Amino acid sequence: RSVSERKRPKMLEKVVFTVVGVVTILGGVMGKVKAGSNPSLIAGGISGSLILVGGLYSPDVKAVLCATLTSGALCYRFVPKVLQDGLGSMPAGPMAVMTTLAFGVGVLSLVKAFTSGK
C-alpha cells in the first residue's frame, strides 16, 4: 500500500529523509577529512544512502521503512551519547536531533499507512 493514499502533506517524509540522508553522508565525509576516520566515512555513506533512498522513493512503504529503520539505528547510536555528553557534543548532538526527527516522521507515516485501510 502506498503511503501517499492518506491525507497529509505528501512531501513530508520525502523532504525530511532526503535532508537527513544528505547531511549524514556529508557528516561521514567531514569525519574522514577532519579526523581521518574511515569508519565515519563508511558508516555515514551507508546509513546516509539508506535514508536518502527512503526519501527519494517515498511514498513507497518499503522505502519509508528502510529510512525509518536506519534512522532508528542512528538514534540508538547517538541519543545515549547526547544524554551522556550534552546536546552540544559533535557530531552526536545534531545527528541525534535529525535522526530522531526522521525516525518519528517515519513511524507516524508507517502507522498511518497501515491503519488507513481499516
Side-chain angles (χ1 to χ4, degrees):
R1 182 179 331 171
S2 174
V3 177
S4 66
E5 294 171 1
R6 66 192 185 281
K7 304 235 186 270
R8 59 145 182 90
K10 293 185 178 186
M11 298 296 289
L12 181 61
E13 62 274 326
K14 185 176 284 292
V15 170
V16 170
F17 291 148
T18 301
V19 169
V20 172
V22 169
V23 170
T24 302
I25 292 168
L26 293 175
V29 172
M30 279 183 52
K32 173 64 176 170
V33 170
K34 285 191 167 193
S37 173
N38 284 330
S40 289
L41 180 63
I42 294 166
I46 292 171
S47 58
S49 296
L50 289 171
I51 296 171
L52 184 60
V53 163
L56 296 176
Y57 289 99
S58 174
D60 180 67
V61 172
K62 291 176 187 172
V64 174
L65 182 62
C66 176
T68 303
L69 292 175
T70 306
S71 297
L74 290 174
C75 286
Y76 183 77
R77 163 67 181 92
F78 288 110
V79 170
K81 181 77 171 158
V82 166
L83 294 176
Q84 180 182 6
D85 297 340
L87 195 57
S89 63
M90 285 297 285
M95 285 301 296
V97 170
M98 287 189 312
T99 58
T100 301
L101 172 68
F103 182 70
V105 166
V107 167
L108 290 174
S109 179
L110 291 168
V111 166
K112 287 183 180 181
F114 288 111
T115 59
S116 64
K118 295 181 182 179

